[in-house]
Amino acid sequence: MELLITGSTGFVGRNLLMRVTQDPCWRRIVLPVRDPAKLRAQLAGEGIVEDGRLLICRVTGDFWELPGGVCPDLVIHAAGLLFGRRKEDYFGTNVDGSIRLAVQLPRTARVIVLSSLAAGGPTPADAEARGMHHADRPVSLYGASKLTMERELRNRLGSRLLILRSPMVLGPRDAATLPLFKMAAGAIRIKPGFAAKHYSWIDVGELCEAIVTVAAAAAPDWEKHGPFYLGSEQLITDTELIATAASVIGGRGVTLSAPQVAIRLASLVIDSIPSWRAAAPSLGRDRVREILPGRWVSDGRPFAEHFGWKPSKNLRQTLGETAEWLKKEGKI
């Protein structure tokens, strides 16, 4: 069978590529990327040999112009823009780019799209967890772009599409967690707001296993279900996330709460200074809209029951592995 993965130089896509190269069922793995040299350097760093199964092809921007002869049986669409400044940036990549990819695919291809809890929005006030039956209410441009992407692809792909909405993803090869660890190493650690915020999360390796599980499932079931939420059974708070990151690197600081209005003002400053925005993309104005709500908890039980998949890692294991990767890369 032929597999096509988008986003293979990114956090989830990179981990997913490492996972699927271990599976001999894939006759060819097609990897469209903007920067083939970057992908080849990553493969070499992971000890993965670029053999005849891997087809690396250059694409321009979000146009996804695939080379002739590419006819995937399965597409895993993991690419997307996580941090942007304008609505046009998010929608150009996450919506328009996804549509351009979809129209090039053969009618026989099944498609798994990695979306986000942000497409649904925070947990409703009257619920313990956001479920598949709740109305979608994204609070950020990022979330709105992911929801629009889901709807556009559903209109075009129908029963060939399965949408997975992941919560916070943590694990090795995620450079975006570097600010968390740098803060955790300091004497003063800042959390937004005075009340505890509650989150669902998932280990990136377990997310990849969940995707592989879906890939092996019968496609006729897909149209009847989803979008599926998935995640660890362990809920965490923002304070616990910071404390655990500090613990695995030996940090001994104190965590203080900052008023949410201060976080909003900081996001305005960060967005206006390119170097700061690059260093802390998750603190830009749009993503701060997701920091302010107090509960981002989703119900992953329907996915676990339907596909027979269950996560097992705890937060300390995952952050420990993340810290080891960051140390290996010389980042902390």
Side-chain angles (χ1 to χ4, degrees), residues 9-238:
T9 58
F11 170 39
V12 175
R14 185 175 174 184
N15 280 277
L16 181 62
L17 177 57
M18 291 179 60
R19 171 60 182 84
V20 298
T21 53
Q22 301 171 17
D23 193 338
C25 79
W26 302 110
R27 171 182 58 83
R28 183 162 71 166
I29 302 172
V30 183
L31 304 169
V33 290
R34 297 179 183 180
D35 189 347
K38 178 181 179 180
L39 176 56
R40 290 189 169 98
Q42 289 178 345
L43 291 173
E46 301 289 356
I48 298 176
V49 177
E50 186 184 343
D51 57 19
R53 285 202 308 160
L54 300 182
L55 175 60
I56 299 173
C57 49
R58 182 189 298 275
V59 294
T60 303
D62 301 309
F63 290 94
W64 298 110
E65 295 174 358
L66 303 176
V70 170
C71 188
D73 300 283
L74 177 70
V75 176
I76 302 175
H77 186 31
L81 180 64
L82 291 174
F83 306 113
R85 296 190 68 195
R86 305 175 305 157
K87 179 179 179 179
E88 292 81 2
D89 297 332
Y90 284 116
F91 277 70
T93 295
N94 296 340
V95 180
D96 298 341
S98 297
I99 292 171
R100 294 188 191 107
L101 173 66
V103 298
Q104 295 185 67
L105 300 176
R107 292 185 176 273
T108 54
R110 295 185 297 156
V111 181
I112 299 171
V113 167
L114 184 62
S115 187
S116 170
L117 172 56
T123 307
D126 59 350
E128 286 295 311
R130 169 168 284 282
M132 297 165 66
H133 60 287
H134 287 118
D136 296 320
R137 292 190 174 89
V139 295
S140 64
L141 294 174
Y142 168 73
S145 72
K146 284 291 192 178
L147 178 59
T148 303
M149 174 198 71
E150 292 179 7
R151 291 172 174 172
E152 292 290 341
L153 292 182
R154 178 68 74 195
N155 288 338
R156 287 165 172 78
L157 300 172
S159 62
R160 296 187 289 129
L161 174 71
L162 187 73
I163 298 165
L164 301 179
R165 289 181 174 177
S166 66
M168 178 192 311
V169 184
L170 299 169
R173 302 171 189 84
D174 182 16
T177 54
L178 181 58
L180 169 66
F181 282 99
K182 285 189 172 181
M183 179 178 66
I188 302 297
R189 311 188 292 251
I190 302 297
K191 86 167 216 62
F194 296 100
K197 298 179 185 295
H198 295 80
Y199 299 99
S200 291
W201 69 284
I202 189 168
D203 175 89
V204 69
E206 295 195 321
L207 174 58
C208 293
E209 288 299 329
I211 294 172
V212 169
T213 299
V214 170
D221 286 339
W222 285 10
E223 188 176 22
K224 303 174 186 177
H225 304 280
F228 277 108
Y229 294 102
L230 70 171
S232 170
E233 295 180 348
Q234 177 195 22
L235 300 184
I236 60 174
T237 66
D238 50 355

Side-chain angles (χ1 to χ4, degrees), residues 306-317:
H306 184 75
F307 291 103
W309 173 88
K310 187 176 181 180
S312 60
K313 280 192 175 180
N314 62 46
L315 181 64
R316 184 173 182 83
Q317 287 175 298

